[in-house]
Amino acid sequence: MFNLKEIISVSLILFSVIDVLGSIPVIVDFRKKLGKIESEKATLVAGFIMILFLFLGEKLLRLFGVDVASFAIAGAIILFLLGLEMILGREIFKHGSVETGAASIVPIAFPIIAGAGTMTTLLALRSAYEIQNILIGVLLNLIFVYLVLKSSNWLETKLGPGGIEILRKVFGVILLAIAVKLFKTNLGI
C-alpha cells in the first residue's frame, strides 16, 4: 500500500546516501576532463543497478551465505565511513582511473550514484518499508540525480565551493545518523 510518510522517508534516506549534491565537485571535474557526461545513460544505468539489487540482492547474499542483518551491519560501517569522509574531508575510499568512454558509467553511475552504500541502504529499506514505496523513492531520487547531472555547471556556479562544502558536511552528519540507526536495528539494540 502506498504510504506518503514511507515514500518521503525512503526518498530522504536515499537522497542522503546517494549525495549527488556532494558529488558535484567530482561530476564537474569529470565534465571538464571529458567534455560532457551522458546524464541519461548514467541515470538509467544507476537505476537499473539499484532496482536489480533491490530485488536480487538478498538472493545474491544467500548465495554467499550472508544474511541481510550482517550485510546491513557491514553497510552501516560503510555508511559511517562515508559520513566521516564527507565531514572530515579525507578520502577513505579510493576510486581508480577512468577511461574517457566509460565516464558516464564508472564512476558516475557506479559507484557514485549506485554504490555500496546505496545498495546496502536498499536492502535495509526493504526490511523496513513496502517495496512500492521504495521504488517510488528510487524513482524520485533518479529524477533528482538526472536534473543535477544535467545542470551541474549551473549548480557549481550558483552554490560555489563554500555551498558545496556545506552540503557535503550536512549530508555527512545525516549519513552518520543513518549508519548508527542501521547498526542498532540490525544488532537488536
Side-chain angles (χ1 to χ4, degrees), residues 12-185:
L12 290 175
I13 290 168
L14 285 173
F15 180 76
S16 297
V17 173
I18 293 170
D19 185 34
V20 72
L21 293 176
S23 299
I24 288 175
V26 176
I27 294 165
V28 168
D29 185 51
F30 279 109
R31 192 190 68 240
K32 286 178 183 174
K33 288 178 185 173
L34 306 170
K36 76 171 195 162
I37 291 176
E38 297 178 42
S39 306
E40 298 85 3
K41 187 179 198 179
T43 304
L44 288 173
V45 169
F48 177 75
I49 292 169
M50 291 165 64
I51 291 170
L52 188 69
F53 199 79
L54 179 65
F55 288 104
L56 299 178
E58 202 169 334
K59 291 176 181 145
L60 182 64
L61 292 178
R62 271 191 297 222
L63 181 67
F64 293 108
V66 177
D67 62 286
V68 174
S70 298
F71 189 75
I73 290 171
I77 293 168
I78 291 170
L79 290 177
F80 190 83
L81 292 172
L82 284 170
L84 282 178
E85 185 179 77
M86 292 166 69
I87 292 169
L88 300 175
R90 300 282 185 237
E91 187 177 2
I92 297 171
F93 297 100
K94 307 287 184 202
H95 304 289
S97 61
V98 178
E99 293 180 23
T100 304
S104 295
I105 307 300
V106 178
I108 303 297
F110 178 82
I112 290 177
I113 299 168
T118 304
M119 289 187 260
T120 303
T121 303
L122 285 169
L123 282 185
L125 290 171
R126 184 161 182 178
S127 65
Y129 297 97
E130 295 290 326
I131 198 78
Q132 67 270 16
N133 297 325
I134 297 170
L135 288 170
I136 292 171
V138 167
L139 180 63
L140 291 173
N141 273 276
L142 289 172
I143 292 168
F144 187 72
V145 162
Y146 174 76
L147 293 173
V148 169
L149 290 175
K150 266 302 202 206
S151 60
S152 60
N153 190 31
W154 180 82
L155 286 170
E156 177 192 23
T157 305
K158 293 298 177 192
L159 291 174
I164 290 171
E165 192 59 29
I166 289 169
L167 283 175
R168 191 168 177 79
K169 298 222 184 285
V170 167
F171 286 109
V173 171
I174 292 170
L175 273 185
L176 288 176
I178 292 168
V180 169
K181 182 181 178 192
L182 276 172
F183 197 78
K184 283 174 45 179
T185 301

